[in-house]
Amino acid sequence: MSLIVPMTPYSLHKSGAIRKVVRSRLKEALRLVVVRGARGSDPCEASSAILDENDATPEKWIVKDWTYVFKPTMALYKSPMPTIIDEIRIGLRSVRSMAEKLEARWQRTAAPVTRDVMRTRVPDRKPPTKFNRG
C-alpha cells in the first residue's frame, strides 16, 4: 500500500510536534483497521477500540496498486482513537467500492489487444525489380 500524507505548517499546524502526532495517529488507526480489523467501540465505552479478527484481511480494505492520499485536519489530533478508526473504516470502504467500479469500467473500455503479425514472403512471388534510371 502506498500512502501519502501531505502536511505543511500552513495546511495543518505550525508546530512540527503536532504534525508528527497527527501523522502517527493516522498511520496507527489505518494499521489497526487494515491489519487487526479494528472498529470503534460502543458509545458508552469511548476510550477503546474493538479488534475483530474476521475483518483483519488487507484485501478487504486496500486495493492493490493504488496510492492512498490522506489530507488530515486538526480534528484528527483532537478526536479519540475509536472515532478516527470508524471514520477510516467508512472512508476505506467507500474508496474500495469506487475503485472496483472504476476498474470494471476501465476493463470494459480498454482497447482490445492487437497482435503484430509479421509478414512473410510468399515463395512463388518474384522479388521487386530495380528500375534503371539512366
Side-chain angles (χ1 to χ4, degrees), residues 9-40:
Y10 180 73
S11 67
L12 185 66
H13 196 272
K14 64 181 180 180
S15 172
I18 290 178
R19 291 194 308 270
K20 187 175 180 179
V21 168
V22 167
R23 180 179 286 121
S24 66
R25 284 175 62 95
L26 175 66
K27 285 184 177 182
E28 182 64 19
L30 194 59
R31 186 190 67 79
L32 284 172
V33 170
V34 173
V35 177
R36 303 290 303 270
R39 59 184 166 86

Side-chain angles (χ1 to χ4, degrees), residues 3 29 38 41 77:
L3 175 68
S41 62
Y77 181 73

Side-chain angles (χ1 to χ4, degrees), residues 81-93:
M81 189 58 88
T83 305
I84 297 169
I85 288 173
D86 282 339
E87 293 297 322
I88 286 181
R89 284 175 64 99
I90 292 168
L92 288 178
R93 199 175 292 130

Side-chain angles (χ1 to χ4, degrees), residues 33-84:
V33 170
V34 173
V35 177
R36 303 290 303 270
R39 59 184 166 86
S41 62
D42 297 327
C44 59
E45 298 176 19
S47 63
S48 63
I50 298 170
L51 301 179
D52 186 7
E53 296 300 325
N54 295 330
D55 280 346
T57 55
E59 294 82 22
K60 180 178 179 180
W61 300 105
I62 303 298
V63 183
K64 186 179 177 186
D65 298 331
W66 279 57
T67 300
Y68 289 82
V69 180
F70 287 87
K71 188 168 188 302
T73 62
M74 281 303 291
L76 193 63
Y77 181 73
K78 297 175 182 177
S79 299
M81 189 58 88
T83 305
I84 297 169

